[in-house]
Structures are given as C-alpha cells and as structure tokens.
Amino acid sequence: MGEEIYLFITLIFIILGALVAVETRSLLSSVISLGAVGFGLSIAFLLLMAPDLAIVQIAVEVILLIFLIRATIGRDVVPTTGHINWISLSIVSLLIVAFLLIGIYSFRSLLEFGTPIISAVGEAPSNSYIENGLSRTGAANIVTSVILDYRAYDTLGEATVLFTAILGALTVLRVRSRRELGGRR
Amino acid sequence: MIYTLCFVLFLIGLYCAITKKNIVKIVIGLTLMEYSANLFLILLGYRKGGVAPIVSENMNITEFLATSVDPLPQALVLTSIVIGLGVTTLAIAICIRLYEKYGTFDITEIRRLKG
C-alpha cells in the first residue's frame, strides 16, 4: 500500500462528495458538493504525477462552478416530491449492481495498478515520446510536447469543439431574437 | 481496488443521470461520469513510484524512460477536460433557457415541446 493510501483517501472523499451531490435536496448544496468533487479530483491528479492536469482541472472547476451557481441561485424551487416509483427504482438498482459486478470481473484482465502498459509493450508510442521528446521538440515537459507538437491536430480539433460549444451557449442564452427586435417590438 | 472505486464514481453519476427528475441533477450526473472516465485513463498510465513526465537537467534519459509515468493519457485527458467544460456549459445554458420558458427544472413538467 504505502504511498497509495493517500490516493485511496482522496478517492473515498470524492465518492462521498459525489453521494452528497446526488442525494441532497437543495440544488445549491448539490452544486457546491460537485465543486468539492472536482477539487478532490485535482488532488488525485497531483498524487498520480499529472501536475498539468491538476492545474487545468482547478481552472475548469472554478469556471464550471460559476456557471452552475448562476443557473441555480435564487431558483431553489420546491423539491420534486410526488410518489416514488419503487418498481423502476429497484430495476435501476439491480442493473447498476450487475454493471458493477461486470466491471469488477473485467478489471481482472487489466494489468495490476501501478504497472502502465508502456512498461509491458516495448514499442508503445509513449516510449518514443519520452525518449525523443526533449531532443526532437525541445520541450522539457513531455505532455506539452505531445499536445502541441506530436498531436497538434487533436488540439486544433479541441479548439474547434470548444469554440462551437461556446457559440451554441451564447446562441441559446441570447435574450431577444433579431426578429423580435425588428418586428413586434 | 482503486479501479473499482473509480468505477463506483461512474455508477453514482449514472444513477443520478437516469433516476433524478431535476434537470440540473442530470447535468451533475453527466459531469460525474466525465470525471470518472478522465480519472480512469490517468490511473491506467500511473507507474508505482514514478515521476512526472518532465525532464529535469541532471536526469539520464534511459533512467527517465524507466521511471516516468505515461504522458500520452495525460495529454489526451487534458484535451478531454477542456471539451467537457464546453459541453457542460452548453447543457447549463439550455437548462437556464428551459427555466426561463417553463418556470421549473422538473423534467416531468417540461412536456410542451413546441417551437
């Protein structure tokens, strides 16, 4: 166990935060618990030796939290009560437990935690990136050399998707349509 | 064991997304599933006692090759996190619009779908 115990504790914290986020009544508490999950995830990335991801996760989580609080604050209407449909709930629980068992069974086919695939497969592309990344691209951070040099087209696609999503959000949130501005009012 | 905990996080998100009636809760469930998938890919690339994939000055390349964690999942998950932000933002924008139009977040009451 040793150093993994910290990772274990962090994952338990994340799961508890997720349970609170799912089951609490107040929407604002739920959103803030989601923020706790995101920051816990950032700590987990740091423990897993991924500092770039930890930084990005913190930045993304703050922006997401601002959006979610904007969406929920002041709108905490009466929680949806009604009668709970026990039959469908039990079917869903049964399916989820079955899914969990299948998952645990299939995790046996993976390598043990702590031995990455690059240590088992000699000609994996990651080995080449690690070995030649500094001399070929001049970047000391191998992650940077992968996203900005070896797989720069992926980053271009990412920028396209991000731009399209922001464009969609702005279009949906626009207060008045152009027709309304010119015509009826 | 660690893989199982990560999968439990995914299942919590799945449960939230398919049983809750509040539309913000559904978005939260989707976000939890996304977090879990990102974490799983990073867990796959972790090396026990490894170092971050950053070359320092007094480091031998062959020694670095034997101790570094896998940089490829990290690079792709970096992309995935940012895309997840865009997708979730779009979903929340739709939620805000639905609230303005119908006055509720409850999906059983949002049924009058018309343009």
Side-chain angles (χ1 to χ4, degrees), chain B residues 90-103:
Chain B
L90 184 56
I92 295 167
I94 293 174
C95 291
I96 293 176
R97 271 316 258 188
L98 279 174
Y99 189 88
E100 282 174 3
K101 194 165 170 61
Y102 295 98

Side-chain angles (χ1 to χ4, degrees), chain A residues 30-90:
Chain A
S30 173
V31 164
I32 290 170
S33 302
L34 184 72
V37 172
F39 291 128
L41 194 63
S42 167
I43 296 174
F45 284 150
L46 210 54
L47 290 174
L48 288 168
M49 296 297 162
D52 312 270
L53 284 178
I55 295 168
V56 169
Q57 177 68 37
I58 283 188
V60 160
E61 191 60 39
V62 169
I63 297 172
L64 192 65
L65 214 54
I66 290 170
F67 271 112
L68 272 169
I69 288 176
R70 162 73 181 81
T72 56
I73 200 160
R75 295 176 185 177
D76 212 347
V77 285
V78 280
T80 58
T81 47
H83 67 288
I84 301 170
N85 193 346
W86 288 107
I87 299 175
S88 66
L89 201 64
S90 55

Side-chain angles (χ1 to χ4, degrees), chain A residues 8 10 13 25-26 28-29 31 34 38-39 45 51 59 78 82 97 105 110 113 125 133 142 154-155 160 163 181:
Chain A
F8 199 77
T10 314
F13 171 75
R25 290 268 171 182
S26 155
L28 195 58
S29 319
V31 164
L34 184 72
F39 291 128
F45 284 150
V78 280
V97 170
Y105 178 72
L110 291 176
F113 176 70
I142 308 293
D154 266 351
T155 312
T160 313
F163 181 72
L181 280 178

Side-chain angles (χ1 to χ4, degrees), chain A residues 136-154:
Chain A
R136 280 193 192 155
T137 66
N141 189 343
I142 308 293
V143 175
T144 318
S145 79
V146 171
I147 62 171
L148 292 181
D149 197 304
Y150 287 109
R151 299 198 175 212
Y153 281 121
D154 266 351

